[in-house]
Amino acid sequence: MRSFPYVSMMALTVLAVAACKKSTPNTAAGAPDFHNPADPGFAQQAPDSFRARFSTTEGDFVILVHRTWAPRGADRFYNLVRSGFYDGVRFFRVIPGFMAQFGIHGDTAVNSAWRERRIPDDQMRRSNQRGLVTFATAGPGTRTTQVFINYRDNSRLDGMGFTPFGEVVEGMAVVDSLYGGYGEGAPNGRGPDQMRMHIEGEKYLARQFPKLDKINKATVE
């Protein structure tokens, strides 16, 4: 079976029935609160281009975002990063030779709040090549918070709504080194089950997938 970067439809509709203790935002002054997707700060337009630095358990990498590539995607990513949403988030789906995916929060209440905060699709302007960064989807108009980094030429994804909005310009070797030993997610592989991630949060990953790498902090430079 071919593998695609996706957001599980079941995970998008499941309610977070085992909410974790509310996480504490670690954000710059004036940034929106990621616990509240209705915060007006999430409507802020991103700069025409900006750099986002990700400090991870394997080292740092930098994503250069080009708003002209995918305006809606760039705006959503900009506000998620500056809100601190990605701090502490795991790279839960790393498939060597394909892509590395992240963006499900460890706090189940946060995931529940963002479940329906979808953004419309952007027009395809760049192909999914190695190092390019794209939102995962579960079909048209379903982008929320999950993102993947291409490990190779994945141009076969271009006609499926996977629209790149940025590129890794520093630290691609760090991205290459992210732990991918668990492979594809359940039920097609031995990796994490997205539905359980939404229901059980970080406790599930820490208990059953302790080798997964993590974002310590993500900042807009």
Side-chain angles (χ1 to χ4, degrees), residues 18 20 105-108 111 196-206:
C20 299
H105 204 276
D107 184 328
T108 59
N111 289 323
R196 291 192 64 181
M197 289 176 65
H198 280 258
I199 295 173
E200 301 175 49
E202 169 63 17
K203 291 181 180 179
Y204 163 63
L205 296 181

Side-chain angles (χ1 to χ4, degrees), residues 5 9 16 19 64 83 88 93 107 110 140 147 168 183:
M9 290 299 290
L64 176 62
S83 76
R93 187 170 176 243
D107 184 328
V110 172
V147 172
V168 175

Side-chain angles (χ1 to χ4, degrees), residues 96-116:
F98 180 37
M99 54 99 235
Q101 187 167 336
F102 63 95
I104 297 180
H105 204 276
D107 184 328
T108 59
V110 172
N111 289 323
S112 181
W114 281 95
R115 188 177 67 247
E116 299 299 329

Side-chain angles (χ1 to χ4, degrees), residues 19-160:
C20 299
K21 181 179 178 181
K22 185 176 181 179
S23 51
T24 302
N26 184 14
T27 62
D33 178 4
F34 63 77
H35 298 95
N36 176 24
D39 186 322
F42 282 109
Q44 183 168 324
Q45 181 175 306
D48 291 342
S49 65
F50 66 92
R51 291 162 55 97
R53 179 173 295 274
F54 284 74
S55 297
T56 79
T57 45
E58 290 295 319
D60 288 12
F61 65 88
V62 174
I63 296 172
L64 176 62
V65 176
H66 305 273
R67 193 171 184 274
T68 56
W69 289 9
R72 297 184 183 98
D75 291 349
R76 170 57 61 87
F77 187 70
Y78 174 71
N79 289 308
L80 287 171
V81 171
R82 73 189 190 95
S83 76
F85 178 93
Y86 292 120
D87 297 357
V89 165
R90 301 262 190 171
F91 296 91
F92 69 90
R93 187 170 176 243
V94 179
I95 303 177
F98 180 37
M99 54 99 235
Q101 187 167 336
F102 63 95
I104 297 180
H105 204 276
D107 184 328
T108 59
V110 172
N111 289 323
S112 181
W114 281 95
R115 188 177 67 247
E116 299 299 329
R117 292 287 173 169
R118 303 171 181 177
I119 56 174
D121 295 335
D122 282 303
Q123 182 180 344
M124 180 68 64
R125 293 182 173 90
R126 289 292 186 279
S127 179
N128 283 278
Q129 301 297 314
R130 174 171 166 78
L132 268 65
V133 187
T134 306
F135 273 94
T137 81
T142 60
R143 296 182 298 174
T144 55
T145 62
Q146 293 190 44
V147 172
F148 66 93
I149 303 171
N150 290 285
Y151 276 143
R152 68 180 184 196
D153 175 350
N154 285 322
S155 54
R156 65 195 176 97
L157 303 177
D158 293 352
M160 304 177 190

